Amino acid sequence: MALLKLIILSIAYACTFGLPQNPPKPRTTIFGDEMLEGEIFENLSESSEITTLNEEASVYRLPKTTKPFRYDIIWTIDFNNLSFNGFVMIVLYATEPDVDEIVIHAADLYITSVELRKDLNSIPVSYDVDNILQIIRIKLDSGTLEYDENDETNRINYELIIRFEAELRTDMSGLYRSWFKDENYTEEVSYIATTQFQPTSARKAFPCYDEPGFKAMFTISVQRPTAYKSWSCTRRNATFSNGIIEYEDDIYNYTPFMSTYLIAIIVAKYDNLMVINSDGKLIYEVIARPAAIEGNQGEYAFEVGQLLLAEMSAHTAIDYYTVSEFFKMTHAAIPDFEAGAMENWGLLTYRESYLLYDKDHTSSFHKQSIAYMLSHEIAHMWFGNLVTCEWWDVLWLNEGFARYYEYFLTDWVEDYMGFATRFIPEQLHTALLADSVLSAHPLTNTGVGSPASIGNMFSTITHAKGASVIRMTEHLLGFQVHEEGLRRYLNARRFDVALPEHLFQALQEVADEYGVIADYGDDFSVSDYYKSWTEQSGHPVLSVQINHQTGDMIIFQHRFDINAGYAITPNTWIIPITFSTASNPDFTNTKPSHIISNSMNYINRGSVGDEWVIFNRQQTGFYRVNYDDYTWNLILNALKTNITLIHENNRAQIVNDLFQFARSGIMSYSRALNLLSFLETETAYAPWVTALTAFNWLINRLASTPETLAKLHSLITVWGKTVMDELTYYPDEDESFMRSYFRYQVVPTMCVVDAPGCRDAAVSQFKQLVESNGSYEVPVDSRTWVYCNGLRYGTESDFNFLWYRFRTHHVYTEKSLILNVLGCTPHQSSLYTLLDAIVEDNYLIRQQDYTTAFNSAVTGNEGNTKIVLNYIQNNLAKVEAGFKSLAIPLSYISSRLRTEEEVNEFQLWATENREALGSSYNSVMNGANSALDSIKWALEVQDDILDYIDSIVPVESTTPPPVQTTTEGPDSAITTVISEVLVAAVVLINLLR
């Protein structure tokens, strides 16, 4: 019977894919520029480390033979010596008999003493520090810890007391130092002591059980200079003089049970905006350097953050302020902050550009970044803090929900920002791409152990795919049921850790009670559905064959592979299906009508005749869709006839899928571009932003084929004319956020392709800024492309003007924006000024911004690559000292090599300087080889791309190109025959089950 099923399925498969299509040839489509820091495939080379169970992972885990109950911590901050010392008392207990050692974490701390006590009596111990595993083993000299075997609830407590000291770190982890210059950044440096503990850096600030599963209460004290203030997770209980000259002690109220990575302190000369409740207690505040508070830069976060906190409290039915009687919420702006933002319970920390807003100097991009960063961190108060992932291998339980609420919590409060629409190109499409390689890690990922593998879990997949799968589940169950399920999950696991099964069970219970999954059959399980998306990597592409005479639709699912089209792995997912048709063009009902789980599936459309079909309404599902060629033509005809019949999100889906099908080889570029020709009349946000991402990827590839690149530029110019006529290069008075943000996204690419009017608009506005010496300000949402093109076509004095503005400006978002565009200058002396400021010790460019600034210098113009390479070659030691590795700056160079001759020269230089490059040599050579792959790929596809571009009407014509009739696939009649065979096969297989 099994053999018969296999034969039938094989015949059906052959009928579908053997006539007359050829499978795509595997080819590398991921190149160096996509593997740089912050890019989509940043950790691709390391991803295989954590995709399978690592037998050594357990050596990094603490034994559960002891557990903490409470910590008392005192930190003393010494700004004169830029150091700290501390004392920690951990109240702990044994969890089983015969325990003779206590194992906890510590890293880069000088341990001055260790003592173990019980009932005030000292117990002789010895200890050993393992710097590789970052642990301390405290061994009892004799005997074992007491444990009541007859009563496991009878906890016998011990006190472990450790004294320690260290320098304030400079790498933005653990307890580290930052700085600011107040009053327009021109005064003397003022230091800050602040923390970043997630995921494994609490151990760098105090010895502790530094795993999320070891929750405990914390009482924190900070000894600080009297000229400074301090903050921690809870409200301050008392401040008193400790006898140390010019020092005071701040004592903080105890916390609820929480993980070590959520602890935080700040010591700084900061001011605040605050809310005091009717009892006279602080409940909410924004803190920052004094000039920022005086300049009202904290007002937006102050106001919107309170709205978001109230909305999230209502959504979860757990009021934030009831979680602990000592809780308040502090949002802190930190000048040096690598993580972007962090959800420390009660003391949330952010880069300045993600918290501080100035209406005159902060763009719409940064304003919405502040809104969704606030949403993300506030959501963590429940998803991550109140209920915490049991281990980092299920981090999506924290980060997936926080990323989801970034968009949808913000959309409830700030709906004019269009977060629900923007989720599609910004998160869903990004997640699909990151998840399209065979080495992508699953959301639930066994084998995570070392700090490096834990760090790799903070990925696009964990955040964006996690959020996308959660969004898909909400549409599957319905908002009300999903919300109630999450409330049940949070209440059941509050102050505890969670596994995915806890979430699945809560959702299943509520779904059964409301009957929302009854139509999917008795065998449908929320747990099985969720596991298919979380326990295996990748995602499906649905191949849809439609018999338009009968309405029969045959759907195959395969794992999508960006390098080969279809993966050969036999993965299947439990997929919620929605679809709309020309006769039923409803895109509002996103409740799935069908669930499919087999490799081959059959659904009847419910209508007959030639009409378009669009699967995945509003792209609520996490999958791609490829139709038979006849159906694709029907879709294109519909888009050219009345584009608004198909939902904006689905038009964005079509754009994204077609570009990725062409990239992976499933579809030719000429065919994909023909189907994308509806963009010439498209004016909506999501489809165009999606298209721009794909076009920019192609522009980077085709830079090695100048003639083809020029024709691609012309195509983008033609297709972009309608949308640019709508947006223009100048903002309207009182225009909406989304219109302004749309222009912000589109215009930089239009300037790259030299669309008419773009360069002139930029240069004229920049000239006004310079000639007025700043009294005329460029519209804030236009500054990125105006500044860049002003420098690109300007003089060295133009660079000097912006360089001075960067060094003296009092709004960090403006400083950050300028830093991103300074590299647009083509002048060597100006670029050298910028590069010197990056790699030399100074108080100009922050470590967190090194790669941003360096990338700007390399990519600002094609000619910059050679200038920057010459700088590196002449300053190897200085560049290595600045970046701590030559591999990082040279990777930016190698990703911009455009010809084989350039690559060969680069590799020859690397080989001649192999000793100087040291451990970076292999990485440098690999980057050069990736550049060769990119050049080869461009040569392979350029004829395919030109087949379409050369066939359409000349650039000066405005007549839309005709819909091309493809010869690549079956026509309607052949599709009918195929579908009938497939329907028969599916029916027969189902009968044989």
Side-chain angles (χ1 to χ4, degrees):
M1 187 68 72
L3 179 60
L4 181 58
K5 288 184 182 180
L6 180 60
I7 292 171
I8 295 169
L9 187 60
S10 299
I11 294 172
Y13 189 92
C15 287
T16 303
F17 296 104
L19 294 172
Q21 302 171 6
N22 295 315
K25 296 179 180 179
R27 59 189 180 188
T28 298
T29 73
I30 299 169
F31 307 107
D33 54 308
E34 290 183 287
M35 292 186 281
L36 299 173
E37 181 180 332
E39 298 299 329
I40 190 75
F41 296 113
E42 176 184 355
N43 294 319
L44 183 63
S45 60
E46 291 86 12
S47 59
S48 59
E49 175 189 345
I50 57 173
T51 54
T52 57
L53 181 62
N54 179 354
E55 293 181 357
E56 297 182 358
S58 61
V59 304
Y60 292 95
R61 300 291 302 274
L62 296 180
K64 295 183 179 179
T65 53
T66 64
K67 285 187 176 181
F69 174 72
R70 191 185 82 243
Y71 291 77
D72 291 337
I73 312 170
I74 300 174
W75 278 294
T76 302
I77 306 300
D78 182 355
F79 285 113
N80 291 326
N81 296 302
L82 296 176
S83 65
F84 68 93
N85 61 74
F87 161 101
V88 62
M89 181 179 73
I90 309 175
V91 178
L92 58 86
Y93 59 95
T95 60
E96 60 185 58
D98 303 321
V99 175
D100 63 356
E101 72 171 359
I102 302 164
V103 184
I104 62 173
H105 285 112
D108 301 334
L109 297 173
Y110 177 63
I111 306 300
T112 58
S113 68
V114 175
E115 181 184 5
L116 182 65
R117 297 189 311 203
K118 180 179 180 293
D119 299 330
L120 301 181
N121 296 315
S122 184
I123 299 172
V125 295
S126 57
Y127 68 93
D128 177 65
V129 177
D130 186 326
N131 292 319
I132 296 176
L133 297 180
Q134 301 180 348
I135 60 174
I136 305 176
R137 298 182 182 276
I138 298 102
K139 184 80 171 179
L140 276 68
D141 289 351
S142 63
T144 60
L145 299 178
E146 292 185 32
Y147 177 77
D148 191 340
E149 297 184 50
N150 299 317
D151 183 3
E152 294 185 0
T153 64
N154 180 23
R155 189 176 64 242
I156 301 173
N157 288 334
Y158 290 79
E159 295 174 349
L160 177 63
I161 302 168
I162 303 178
R163 298 182 184 276
F164 54 91
E165 57 188 44
E167 292 184 355
L168 287 169
R169 300 178 68 90
T170 59
D171 61 356
M172 294 178 285
S173 70
L175 180 51
Y176 70 95
R177 69 179 191 247
S178 181
W179 59 270
F180 66 88
K181 292 182 178 181
D182 219 343
E183 195 59 41
N184 297 333
Y185 284 87
T186 56
E187 291 188 350
E188 291 297 314
V189 166
S190 179
Y191 281 107
I192 302 167
T194 186
T195 54
Q196 172 58 27
F197 290 167
Q198 189 185 55
T200 59
S201 292
R203 66 192 68 174
K204 299 174 184 177
F206 68 108
C208 58
Y209 292 79
D210 198 15
E211 294 185 8
F214 289 101
K215 288 194 169 186
M217 291 189 298
F218 294 80
T219 301
I220 293 169
S221 300
V222 178
Q223 294 184 338
R224 53 161 179 83
T226 54
Y228 288 74
K229 303 173 187 176
S230 76
W231 289 263
S232 191
C233 301
T234 55
R235 282 193 294 272
R236 189 166 57 249
N237 182 31
T239 297
F240 61 88
S241 176
N242 56 22
I244 303 175
I245 298 175
E246 296 185 349
Y247 264 78
E248 290 180 323
D249 282 10
D250 291 332
I251 313 298
Y252 289 90
N253 290 292
Y254 63 81
T255 71
F257 275 85
M258 60 188 292
S259 305
T260 50
Y261 77 89
L262 296 169
I263 292 296
I265 65 167
I266 294 172
V267 180
K269 294 179 180 178
Y270 269 13
D271 286 346
N272 69 342
L273 298 170
M274 60 182 175
V275 176
I276 304 296
N277 68 9
S278 58
D279 296 328
K281 296 177 180 177
L282 170 70
I283 59 171
Y284 187 91
E285 65 180 335
V286 172
I287 66 172
R289 53 188 172 83
I293 295 297
E294 292 167 10
N296 299 317
Q297 294 180 38
E299 291 284 354
Y300 179 70
F302 185 72
E303 295 170 1
V304 173
Q306 292 182 72
L307 295 175
L308 293 167
L309 184 61
E311 190 70 35
M312 195 66 190
S313 293
H315 174 63
T316 59
I318 302 173
D319 185 87
Y320 172 78
Y321 294 111
T322 67
V323 171
S324 168
E325 62 177 311
F326 302 121
F327 261 175
K328 44 76 187 177
M329 177 164 284
T330 301
H331 301 281
I334 308 299
D336 296 283
F337 196 69
E338 186 174 34
M342 178 59 203
E343 67 268 20
N344 315 299
W345 217 353
L347 179 52
L348 288 67
T349 46
Y350 306 78
R351 282 194 190 185
E352 282 200 8
S353 57
Y354 292 139
L355 189 68
L356 302 181
Y357 169 77
D358 182 286
K359 64 181 179 63
D360 296 322
H361 296 293
T362 302
S363 69
S364 295
F365 168 76
H366 280 107
K367 183 178 182 181
Q368 56 83 37
S369 294
I370 292 168
Y372 71 56
M373 278 294 184
L374 286 164
S375 295
H376 184 108
E377 306 311 328
I378 286 171
H380 268 312
M381 301 302 102
W382 290 265
F383 294 93
N385 298 13
L386 183 64
V387 179
T388 310
C389 62
E390 191 273 339
W391 178 240
W392 302 112
D393 56 357
V394 289
L395 178 62
W396 69 271
L397 290 175
N398 291 15
E399 297 298 340
F401 279 100
R403 180 61 56 86
Y404 169 82
Y405 286 113
E406 256 183 47
Y407 284 76
F408 298 100
L409 176 61
T410 308
D411 206 47
W412 300 336
V413 172
E414 297 273 67
D415 57 0
Y416 65 90
M417 286 186 171
F419 280 94
T421 299
R422 289 170 42 212
F423 184 89
I424 303 301
E426 293 177 10
Q427 297 302 320
L428 180 58
H429 293 166
T430 302
L432 285 168
L433 181 57
D435 196 42
S436 65
V437 292
L438 297 184
S439 59
H441 69 80
L443 286 172
T444 297
N445 189 30
T446 57
V448 175
S450 68
S453 66
I454 292 168
N456 286 338
M457 284 299 292
F458 288 80
S459 64
T460 300
I461 289 174
T462 296
H463 287 82
K465 180 181 179 179
S468 298
V469 172
I470 290 165
R471 173 176 174 264
M472 177 170 62
T473 307
E474 183 193 291
H475 286 274
L476 169 67
L477 302 179
F479 178 84
Q480 181 181 3
V481 171
H482 191 248
E483 180 182 63
E484 180 58 34
L486 296 183
R487 289 175 175 179
R488 191 167 299 186
Y489 161 72
L490 291 172
N491 276 298
R493 306 304 301 174
R494 59 192 298 163
F495 303 118
D496 204 345
V497 294
L499 293 168
E501 288 76 11
H502 297 126
L503 173 66
F504 305 161
Q505 180 182 357
L507 292 173
Q508 179 79 48
E509 289 174 357
V510 179
D512 287 338
E513 291 172 12
Y514 282 78
V516 296
I517 57 175
D519 291 343
Y520 304 139
D522 295 337
D523 59 344
F524 179 78
S525 158
V526 172
S527 179
D528 291 342
Y529 149 80
Y530 236 131
K531 286 180 180 180
S532 78
W533 295 98
T534 58
E535 293 186 358
Q536 60 182 346
S537 58
H539 60 271
V541 53
L542 303 187
S543 299
V544 180
Q545 297 281 337
I546 303 174
N547 183 332
H548 293 279
Q549 295 182 3
T550 65
D552 294 330
M553 301 188 296
I554 307 302
I555 306 144
F556 284 87
Q557 60 163 305
H558 311 271
R559 179 172 177 174
F560 180 70
D561 180 357
I562 195 64
N563 291 317
Y566 302 112
I568 61 173
T569 53
N571 301 75
T572 58
W573 289 261
I574 299 175
I575 307 173
I577 296 295
T578 56
F579 60 90
S580 298
T581 66
S583 58
N584 181 26
D586 172 26
F587 285 90
T588 59
N589 180 11
T590 56
K591 172 74 173 172
S593 57
H594 299 76
I595 301 289
I596 65 172
S597 57
N598 298 319
S599 297
M600 182 171 65
N601 307 269
Y602 161 76
I603 296 174
N604 188 273
R605 188 175 63 191
S607 63
V608 296
D610 291 349
E611 64 175 22
W612 57 264
V613 180
I614 300 292
F615 273 65
N616 201 4
R617 288 176 177 169
Q618 297 192 45
Q619 205 170 8
T620 52
F622 193 71
Y623 55 88
R624 301 187 183 278
V625 188
N626 189 19
Y627 305 93
D628 63 74
D629 291 295
Y630 189 76
T631 302
W632 269 125
N633 285 344
L634 293 173
I635 292 170
L636 179 56
N637 282 328
L639 289 168
K640 292 211 166 188
T641 302
N642 184 355
I643 199 169
T644 60
L645 284 176
I646 297 173
H647 195 280
E648 176 183 350
N649 290 359
N650 287 98
R651 303 200 305 271
Q653 170 195 9
I654 289 168
V655 172
N656 183 250
D657 282 351
L658 287 172
F659 270 117
Q660 302 311 327
F661 291 158
R663 174 175 173 172
S664 66
I666 287 177
M667 184 181 289
S668 68
Y669 265 105
S670 58
R671 172 64 168 156
L673 289 171
N674 176 53
L675 293 171
L676 288 162
S677 60
F678 75 90
L679 284 169
E680 191 166 9
T681 59
E682 178 65 80
T683 59
Y685 175 89
W688 256 112
V689 171
T690 301
L692 289 169
T693 300
F695 277 135
N696 284 323
W697 185 86
L698 268 180
I699 287 169
N700 283 334
R701 303 283 73 75
L702 297 178
S704 60
T705 57
E707 292 182 6
T708 305
L709 179 62
K711 292 185 177 183
L712 178 64
H713 283 184
S714 296
L715 178 69
I716 297 170
T717 301
V718 172
W719 284 2
K721 183 179 185 304
T722 301
V723 71
M724 283 314 306
D725 286 347
E726 166 70 21
L727 289 173
T728 77
Y729 292 102
Y730 296 90
D732 297 331
E733 189 175 355
D734 299 324
E735 68 182 1
S736 70
F737 167 84
M738 280 302 290
R739 178 180 170 83
S740 179
Y741 189 56
F742 193 2
R743 185 186 301 104
Y744 177 91
Q745 301 272 63
V746 175
V747 173
T749 300
M750 292 302 163
C751 281
V752 167
V753 303
D754 205 15
C758 195
R759 184 192 302 184
D760 290 343
V763 171
S764 63
Q765 291 180 78
F766 187 77
K767 186 177 180 180
Q768 281 183 271
L769 171 69
V770 175
E771 291 181 350
S772 70
N773 198 27
S775 61
Y776 163 83
E777 290 286 4
V778 176
V780 67
D781 283 349
S782 300
R783 291 181 188 178
T784 298
W785 57 275
V786 168
Y787 288 179
C788 179
N789 287 281
L791 291 180
R792 184 170 287 151
Y793 303 107
T795 64
E796 292 180 47
S797 64
D798 291 325
F799 173 88
N800 293 336
F801 173 85
L802 266 193
W803 180 237
Y804 178 79
R805 185 178 174 97
F806 165 76
R807 288 184 288 121
T808 59
H809 209 279
H810 65 287
V811 177
Y812 194 77
T813 50
E814 176 73 358
K815 293 171 74 72
S816 177
L817 185 155
I818 295 172
L819 197 59
N820 272 281
V821 301
L822 283 171
C824 293
T825 180
H827 304 291
Q828 177 176 301
S829 62
S830 299
L831 286 171
Y832 278 20
T833 296
L834 175 60
L835 294 169
D836 283 341
I838 296 171
V839 300
E840 294 177 353
D841 286 338
N842 54 56
Y843 289 99
L844 292 173
I845 298 177
R846 298 180 182 278
Q847 183 180 341
Q848 67 192 16
D849 297 323
Y850 282 1
T851 55
T852 297
F854 193 83
N855 182 48
S856 170
V858 176
T859 63
N861 299 282
E862 280 297 317
N864 286 17
T865 305
K866 185 175 181 180
I867 295 173
V868 178
L869 176 58
N870 288 337
Y871 178 91
I872 295 173
Q873 291 171 334
N874 294 323
N875 297 276
L876 275 178
K878 189 162 64 173
V879 173
E880 184 174 25
F883 282 95
K884 308 299 188 266
S885 167
L886 288 169
I888 296 172
L890 286 173
S891 67
Y892 287 89
I893 298 294
S894 62
S895 67
R896 299 273 297 180
L897 300 174
R898 302 308 195 193
T899 66
E900 289 190 25
E901 182 181 5
E902 289 180 355
V903 174
N904 292 335
E905 290 177 356
F906 180 77
Q907 290 184 317
L908 177 61
W909 170 80
T911 301
E912 291 174 347
N913 291 273
R914 183 167 186 168
E915 183 176 350
L917 294 177
S919 60
S920 299
Y921 174 77
N922 289 337
S923 176
V924 169
M925 295 298 284
N926 289 339
N929 290 331
S930 180
L932 285 175
D933 289 338
S934 180
I935 295 166
K936 179 181 177 183
W937 186 91
L939 292 173
E940 288 176 352
V941 303
Q942 66 173 341
D943 288 343
D944 183 12
I945 293 171
L946 292 175
D947 279 346
Y948 175 78
I949 299 178
D950 288 344
S951 71
I952 66 173
V953 292
V955 168
E956 61 269 14
S957 173
T958 58
T959 305
V963 177
Q964 296 176 358
T965 302
T966 181
T967 58
E968 295 179 359
D971 62 19
S972 183
I974 296 175
T975 303
T976 298
V977 174
I978 292 173
S979 297
E980 289 173 350
V981 174
L982 292 175
V983 170
V986 173
V987 170
L988 184 54
I989 287 175
N990 289 334
L991 288 173
L992 296 173
R993 291 178 69 179

